[in-house]
C-alpha cells in the first residue's frame, strides 16, 4: 500500500505568513514526488482549518483537495481524514475538562452508543463545519457529531487492511492546552476494531501523538496497538517523529509549526510536511518540508534516530523496520496476529481500580461493557483499591495478577 500523508495545514491562520506561498507550490511538489507512483490512499491527520470555519474548508477544497485529486497518480485514491484541535469552531463555547466530567460521564464519553453521543453532544457541535466538509466531499473518517471512531476494511495489493480513524481532540481549547490531561479514545477503538483477524494489518489514524495523552493512559493504549500489531499515524507535531515498540515501528507522525524566521522579516516562517509512504515488507517513508528561507518544498533532512537506512523503493526515502513478523507477513500477503502483551503485577501492593482496569483491557480479558466497579472492588478492600490473586488465561498466554 502506498499513501500520501498530509497534516496540519491550518488554513485561515491570521496574520502575515508564508503559508500562501507554500500552498501555491504544494501541488507542484506533490506531483513531482508521486510521479509514476500510484497512490492508494490519502491520509489527512487533522488541522485542515485554523479555527473550524466553513470558509476555511472551502479554501482547502479549492486550493488543495480538488486539484490534488486531479493529479493522475492520486485520482483513484481513497481519502481518509480525522479532525485536529484546530478543526473545532470554539467561538462562544466554554472549555470542557476530562477531570471535571465525573466518573459516570467519563465511563460513557467514548462509547459508540446513544449515551456516548449524548454526553459528547455539546462539544460535538463544535465540529459542524468539519462534519459538513467530510460529508460534502464523501471523505472516509469519523463524523465527530455522531461517533468517535470509524473503521474501514480495504485491500491494497495482496494485503488486507483495517483503517481505524479516530477523534482525539474533543477536549481541545484555544486558551488552555489539554496536553497530558486527556485519555486516548481507546474505548471506541476497541469497540470498532474488535479482534483483528489474521491476514489484516491494522492502521490507526488520529491527530494527537501518544505522548500527548495522560501519562496514566498511555501504557494501555500502547498495549492495544501492540496486541493488534497496529501502526499509529498522527499529526500535531512540529517535526517528524517515529516511535518503536517490541514489534517494530509503533507510531509515525508529522505536523506543522510557525516560528520566527531567521531574517528580520515581518512575517512568520511556516513549516509544514507531507510524506509519501509505502508499506511493503518494511515501511518506506519519503518526507518533504517547506523551506521558508529558500521558498521551496525539499526532502526533509532533520530526521529521527530510526531513519538510518535509505529506501530502495522511494526516491529521497528511508526504510523503517516494522518487525520481522509483520514484514514477512505483509510481503507474503498474510498478517500473523502478534503475541498478546503479558503483564505481571508486584505482589507487594494491592492494585488501584484504574490499574486493574487498564491491565485487564491490555490483556483483552475484559470488554468495556464489563467494567462495573461494584463488581471489581471487594468490600474488604480499602476504598479505591482491589486485592487479587488470580492467573487468568488469555488464549495460550497469561496475565498474572497478584495482589497483597
Amino acid at each position: 500500500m502506498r499513501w500520501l500523508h498530509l497534516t496540519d495545514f491550518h488554513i485561515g491562520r491570521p496574520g502575515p505568513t508564508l503559508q500562501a506561498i507554500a500552498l501555491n507550490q504544494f501541488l507542484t511538489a506533490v506531483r513531482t514526488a508521486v510521479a509514476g507512483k500510484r497512490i492508494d490512499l490519502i491520509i489527512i491527520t487533522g488541522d485542515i482549518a485554523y479555527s473550524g470555519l466553513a470558509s476555511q474548508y472551502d479554501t482547502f477544497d479549492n486550493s488543495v483537495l480538488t486539484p490534488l485529486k486531479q493529479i493522475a497518480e492520486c485520482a483513484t485514491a481513497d481519502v481518509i481524514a480525522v479532525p485536529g484541535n484546530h478543526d473545532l469552531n470554539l467561538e462562544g463555547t466554554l472549555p470542557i475538562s476530562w477531570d471535571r466530567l465525573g466518573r459516570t460521564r467519563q465511563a460513557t464519553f467514548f462509547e459508540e452508543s446513544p449515551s456516548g453521543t449524548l454526553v459528547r453532544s455539546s462539544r460535538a457541535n463544535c465540529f459542524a463545519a468539519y462534519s459538513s466538509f467530510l460529508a460534502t466531499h464523501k471523505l472516509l473518517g469519523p463524523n465527530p457529531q455522531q461517533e468517535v471512531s470509524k473503521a474501514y476494511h480495504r485491500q491494497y495489493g495482496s494485503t488486507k487492511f483495517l483503517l481505524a480513524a479516530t477523534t482525539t481532540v474533543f477536549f481541545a481549547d484555544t486558551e488552555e492546552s489539554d496536553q497530558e490531561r486527556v485519555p486516548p479514545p481507546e474505548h471506541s477503538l476497541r469497540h470498532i476494531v474488535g479482534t483483528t483477524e489474521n491476514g489484516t494489518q491494522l492502521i490507526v489514524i488520529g491527530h494527537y501523538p501518544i505522548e500527548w495523552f495522560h501519562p496514566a493512559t498511555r501504557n494501555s493504549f500502547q498495549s492495544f496497538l501492540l496486541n493488534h500489531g497496529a501502526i499509529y499515524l498522527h499529526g500535531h507535531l512540529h517535526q517528524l517523529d517515529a516511535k518503536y515498540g517490541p514489534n517494530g515501528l509503533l507510531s509515525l507522525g508529522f505536523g506543522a509549526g510557525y516560528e520566527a524566521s531567521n531574517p528580520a522579516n515581518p512575517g512568520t516562517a511556516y513549516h509544514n510536511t507531507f510524506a509519501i509512504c509505502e508499506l511493503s515488507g518494511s515501511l518506506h517513508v519519503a518526507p518533504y518540508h517547506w523551506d521558508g528561507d529558500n521558498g521551496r518544498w525539499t526532502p526533509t533532512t532533520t530526521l529521527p534516530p530510526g531513519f538510518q537506512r535509505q529506501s530502495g523503493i522511494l526516491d529521497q526515502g528511508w526504510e523503517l523496520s516494522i518487525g520481522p513478523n509483520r514484514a514477512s507477513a505483509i510481503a507474503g500477503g498474510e498478517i500473523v496476529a502478534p503475541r498478546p502483551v503479558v503483564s505481571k503485577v508486584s505482589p507487594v501492593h494491592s492494585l488501584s481500580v484504574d490499574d486493574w482496569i487498564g491491565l485487564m483491557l491490555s490483556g483483552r480479558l475484559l470488554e468495556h461493557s464489563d467494567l462495573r466497579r461494584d463488581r471489581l472492588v471487594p468490600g474488604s478492600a480499602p476504598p479505591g483499591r482491589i486485592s487479587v490473586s488470580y492467573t487468568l488465561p488469555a488464549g495460550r498466554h497469561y496475565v498474572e495478577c497478584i495482589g497483597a
Side-chain angles (χ1 to χ4, degrees):
M1 177 175 73
R2 187 183 299 120
W3 70 88
L4 173 63
H5 190 143
L6 310 177
T7 193
D8 292 75
F9 283 93
H10 299 158
I11 299 293
R13 184 180 190 271
T17 71
L18 297 176
Q19 183 189 60
I21 300 173
L23 288 179
N24 285 338
Q25 298 188 32
F26 169 75
L27 293 166
T28 300
V30 170
R31 188 177 289 108
T32 301
V34 303
K37 304 178 184 70
R38 183 175 61 84
I39 300 298
D40 298 304
L41 180 67
I42 298 171
I43 297 174
I44 307 174
T45 51
D47 281 358
I48 293 172
Y50 181 73
S51 50
L53 300 178
S55 60
Q56 295 167 354
Y57 295 107
D58 289 341
T59 299
F60 177 77
D61 175 39
N62 294 329
S63 62
V64 178
L65 184 60
T66 294
L68 187 64
K69 292 290 286 181
Q70 292 171 350
I71 296 174
E73 288 85 351
C74 300
T76 61
D78 292 323
V79 182
I80 189 167
V82 296
N85 54 302
H86 284 275
D87 288 310
L88 293 87
N89 181 356
L90 297 173
E91 186 73 24
T93 65
L94 295 174
I96 63 172
S97 165
W98 174 257
D99 291 337
R100 295 178 183 177
L101 277 184
R103 289 187 179 274
T104 302
R105 287 186 290 269
Q106 284 180 347
T108 59
F109 191 90
F110 291 112
E111 280 188 359
E112 301 291 357
S113 68
S115 297
T117 302
L118 181 62
V119 171
R120 296 188 299 270
S121 59
S122 61
R123 179 46 57 118
N125 290 333
C126 298
F127 293 99
Y130 173 84
S131 298
S132 176
F133 166 76
L134 211 69
T136 298
H137 299 283
K138 297 181 172 57
L139 305 188
L140 306 180
N143 175 354
Q145 293 189 293
Q146 300 175 0
E147 62 218 353
V148 178
S149 309
K150 199 161 187 177
Y152 302 87
H153 290 272
R154 291 291 187 273
Q155 181 165 338
Y156 301 109
S158 59
T159 304
K160 296 178 182 178
F161 291 86
L162 179 59
L163 309 175
T166 192
T167 307
T168 62
V169 297
F170 282 106
F171 297 89
D173 185 61
T174 54
E175 295 187 15
E176 187 173 353
S177 173
D178 59 354
Q179 185 174 6
E180 296 191 338
R181 300 173 64 183
V182 294
E186 184 182 337
H187 186 158
S188 167
L189 285 168
R190 288 184 180 276
H191 174 79
I192 66 165
V193 169
T195 301
T196 308
E197 61 178 297
N198 285 346
T200 301
Q201 171 64 52
L202 176 61
I203 305 290
V204 178
I205 303 166
H207 180 66
Y208 283 155
I210 294 173
E211 62 267 26
W212 196 266
F213 300 124
H214 193 292
T217 66
R218 293 176 195 162
N219 284 346
S220 180
F221 182 54
Q222 291 181 87
S223 292
F224 163 76
L225 297 173
L226 290 168
N227 287 341
H228 287 277
I231 299 173
Y232 180 51
L233 303 176
H234 62 85
H236 194 64
L237 298 177
H238 292 174
Q239 59 188 5
L240 174 59
D241 182 70
K243 287 187 168 49
Y244 292 84
N247 296 331
L249 184 71
L250 186 67
S251 69
L252 179 67
F254 304 89
Y258 299 88
E259 304 170 4
S261 53
N262 291 328
N265 290 335
T268 303
Y270 173 70
H271 298 276
N272 196 4
T273 54
F274 73 86
I276 311 300
C277 304
E278 183 168 341
L279 195 57
S280 177
S282 301
L283 179 59
H284 300 261
V285 181
Y288 297 82
H289 74 279
W290 172 250
D291 177 2
D293 291 334
N294 295 296
R296 63 182 180 180
W297 290 90
T298 185
T300 300
T301 55
T302 304
L303 301 165
F307 284 63
Q308 298 287 337
R309 182 185 303 170
Q310 289 190 318
S311 170
I313 294 177
L314 296 178
D315 295 336
Q316 307 293 336
W318 302 85
E319 182 178 354
L320 307 182
S321 171
I322 59 173
N325 289 339
R326 285 191 292 181
S328 60
I330 289 173
E334 181 183 356
I335 309 296
V336 179
R339 174 175 175 164
V341 173
V342 178
S343 303
K344 180 178 286 189
V345 180
S346 167
V348 178
H349 302 291
S350 59
L351 293 171
S352 73
V353 174
D354 288 338
D355 286 344
W356 166 259
I357 290 173
L359 183 61
M360 294 297 94
L361 290 174
S362 68
R364 289 189 286 180
L365 301 176
L366 289 178
E367 296 296 329
H368 279 268
S369 59
D370 295 329
L371 298 185
R372 285 272 305 276
R373 288 175 179 267
D374 57 337
R375 294 177 185 170
L376 292 174
V377 186
S380 59
R385 311 295 291 181
I386 181 168
S387 297
V388 294
S389 182
Y390 305 121
T391 300
L392 301 172
R396 292 178 299 165
H397 309 292
Y398 294 86
V399 176
E400 188 174 2
C401 315
I402 307 173

